[in-house]
Structure formats: structure tokens, C-alpha cells
Amino acid sequence: MSKLVTIYGGSGFVGRYVARRMAQQGWRVRVVCRRPNEALFVKPYGAVGQVSVEFCNIRDDASVRAAMRGADAVVNCVGILVQDGRNRFDAVQAEGAARVARIAAETGVARLVQISALGADAASPSQYGRSKAAGEAAVLQAFPKAVILRPSVIFGTEDDFFNRFATMAVRSPVLPLVGAETRFQPVYVDDVAQAAVKAVLGEAEGCYDLGGPDVETLRQLMTRMLTVIERKRPIVALPRFVGALIATAGDAVQAVTLGLVTNRVLTRDQLRNLYVDNVVAPEARGFAALGIAPVAMGAVLPDYLWRFRKAGQFEAIRASARNLRKLS
């Protein structure tokens, strides 16, 4: 265990999978995040002392530099979906990424991996997409050999996509959707982590757009999810103006409460993204260039969405009992 990787946001959704895979590769892993006391679950990913957890604020030079001391490689997984307090899109995803890359270059880090997003575009209608693009540009300017990974919507046990909609399906008699016909190409979180590890090990270079094997509209994805959780809910496609009203109201509540209440339902910035297809372009380099066969949704969703079934893990037993009663 001679080499050390620092993973910014290493306790987050993607970061924890990268940390586990790097530990399996025999590297020492330094997971840095804002709340280290809540990230101790990553320590058993390796042998005793192999995985450490430290505090870091990506908006602060000294904090980022201290977390990078002695690192041979750096992976930046930090990203936000909703602006909250001082954690603004530009501060975290543009300036924060630039800070990590600049300090990595100054301290002589051998390899840098930046986890971006498929919607990163300087001309994006959303501030989220523009800040991701600005972060990529700043990273490549400071660290030209950095590897950029742009995943589509990421799914997995801890995701905030299928889990969120499944919760809605349990609590509501209908499933309302904004941007129901927008296409997505969901990618499994561990496939993204595998790509990041290849980059750290020097088996990748440049930029990669990462999408799973299935391209479906949001409506089709929700139909798939409802089938997995074995619940029948009518899918209602909301007009764009209704979505705008919901997003504006949520943003207004957050503003009036000075951030005490965060709009985690739907923001105006998210609304803009929901009308832009999130799929990998045919000519883009992706998993094939990395030698990775992406996992299909059907192989993973039942493994963690079962808890949304009426009887949870016992739904199959319950259904079997009903069939026996019918036969008798």
C-alpha cells in the first residue's frame, strides 16, 4: 500500500464506490468531505488504516491543499444538484474544481480525475450545466492531462433518482412527471467508479461520456420502476407551465426562509435540464473505449427497489401464498 489517492467527496454517492474500488486495488485511500463524522462507514472498505477520513471544504485553498498532501492521484467527485447557502454551482462545480486542479498541478500529483456530468455545456440552459462546463475547462487549463468523466443520470442503491420517484409512487395515487418525453441513458454507479479507477491507474486519457446500455424517456423509466416495485400508478405528464409554477414556488420558499428550507422538490434550474435529452452522442468516446461493459438497469433495480413493494422483501412469498389459496 505505497500509493495514496485523495478522493474529494469520497463519502458521496459516486465517491464511496471509487473509494471501495481503489482500496481493492491496494491503494491507501484518503476520503475527504465536509462531515467526516458521517463518513466513517468507508473505513471498512480496506484493511485497518488503509482508508482514512478527513475534513475538507472545497471552497478553501488551505483545506484542499492539506487534504492533498502526499497524494499520488486525486479524484474530484464533488457536485451539487441544489444550491444551498454558500454552496453555489459556480463556487463548488467551477471554482472548486479549478482549485483542486490548480493545487494538484502545484503539488506534483501524477493523475487527476474529474467527475463531471453529461449535461456539461457552456451553452446549457441551466446554471448547473454551465458550471460543470466551466469546471471542466478550468481543470484542463490547470492540469491538461486530467481525465474527465461525464456520466448521464446515475443509478444505484443510494441514488436520488429511482429512490425519489419510488417514494413518490408509494405516497401518491398518481405519479406526476415534468419532461416526461425527455430521453435519458442511466448509468450504474459502480461502472462510473470502475472508469475512475482506470483513469487513476493510467489506463485512460481525455474525456469520456458515460451512459448505460438503455436509452429511455422519463415516462418509460418510471414505467420500468413501477413494474419493479409492483405498484400501479397512472403517470401524469405535467405541462411545462405547471412545472414552472412548482419550481418557482419552491425557490421562493427557499429565498423567503433565507435558506432554512431548501427546495428539494424541483428548482427552476432543474426544470430547464428536464427538457434537454441526456444521452451519449454516437461519436463520443464512452465505456467501449475503456473496455467496460456497462450494467443494464434490469440487473440492478430489483436489488434495491424491493423495499418499495407493499410487503417489501416478502412480496414474492405473499404472492405465492395468494396463488396457493386460489388453487385450494
Side-chain angles (χ1 to χ4, degrees), residues 4-276:
L4 170 67
V5 59
T6 292
I7 305 176
Y8 292 90
S11 63
F13 179 33
V14 177
R16 66 185 67 186
Y17 284 82
V18 178
R20 182 186 291 113
R21 279 190 169 271
M22 289 307 305
Q24 292 171 348
Q25 290 290 327
W27 283 52
R28 289 180 293 134
V29 180
R30 180 183 294 148
V31 169
V32 293
C33 53
R34 288 186 298 160
R35 301 182 181 89
N37 289 339
E38 299 177 8
L40 299 180
F41 63 87
V42 303
K43 300 190 78 171
Y45 287 173
V48 176
Q50 185 180 0
V51 181
S52 62
V53 183
E54 297 185 13
F55 167 81
C56 178
N57 183 347
I58 201 171
R59 294 183 283 106
D60 177 71
D61 268 39
S63 182
V64 171
R65 191 179 298 275
M68 204 179 293
R69 66 189 185 282
D72 298 283
V74 168
V75 182
N76 182 20
C77 301
V78 178
I80 57 174
L81 294 174
V82 177
Q83 300 187 111
D84 184 17
R86 294 183 180 180
N87 291 314
R88 320 301 292 177
F89 287 135
D90 288 336
V92 174
Q93 298 179 162
E95 297 167 14
R99 182 173 292 108
V100 169
R102 171 173 54 80
I103 294 175
E106 293 172 357
T107 56
V109 169
R111 295 190 178 92
L112 170 64
V113 183
Q114 171 71 20
I115 307 295
S116 185
L118 193 56
D121 187 345
S124 172
S126 72
Q127 189 178 355
Y128 170 86
R130 294 193 298 272
S131 67
K132 282 289 191 181
E136 288 183 8
V139 165
L140 292 175
Q141 181 176 4
F143 205 109
K145 293 185 178 181
V147 175
I148 307 292
L149 302 180
R150 302 188 186 112
S152 183
V153 171
I154 304 176
F155 69 90
T157 304
E158 307 87 356
D159 71 44
D160 192 37
F161 184 70
F162 285 111
N163 280 308
R164 172 181 289 196
F165 284 107
T167 300
M168 289 173 58
V170 170
R171 297 176 179 176
S172 172
V174 298
L175 191 61
L177 297 181
V178 178
E181 303 310 318
T182 302
R183 297 186 303 147
F184 295 88
Q185 194 170 352
V187 56
Y188 182 42
V189 60
D190 197 46
D191 289 339
V192 178
Q194 188 177 351
V197 170
K198 280 183 172 288
V200 170
L201 298 179
E203 300 173 10
E205 61 180 14
C207 300
Y208 298 86
D209 289 357
L210 306 180
D214 305 306
V215 176
E216 296 182 358
T217 65
L218 182 56
R219 183 194 298 274
Q220 291 171 327
L221 291 174
M222 293 305 100
T223 299
R224 178 192 288 270
M225 178 271 295
L226 289 170
T227 300
V228 172
I229 67 174
E230 300 178 7
R231 290 179 182 269
K232 295 181 180 180
R233 296 288 186 272
I235 295 175
V236 179
L238 299 179
R240 186 162 185 165
F241 79 90
V242 175
L245 290 175
I246 295 172
T248 301
D251 287 348
V253 170
Q254 181 169 332
V256 169
T257 60
L258 301 180
L260 292 177
V261 177
T262 302
N263 178 13
R264 302 195 181 279
V265 177
L266 177 66
T267 68
R268 286 174 293 178
D269 199 71
Q270 291 171 340
L271 181 67
R272 299 183 189 102
N273 268 338
L274 282 172
Y275 285 93
V276 179

Side-chain angles (χ1 to χ4, degrees), residues 155 214 224 295-303:
F155 69 90
D214 305 306
R224 178 192 288 270
V295 176
M297 288 182 285
V300 177
L301 295 184
D303 289 345

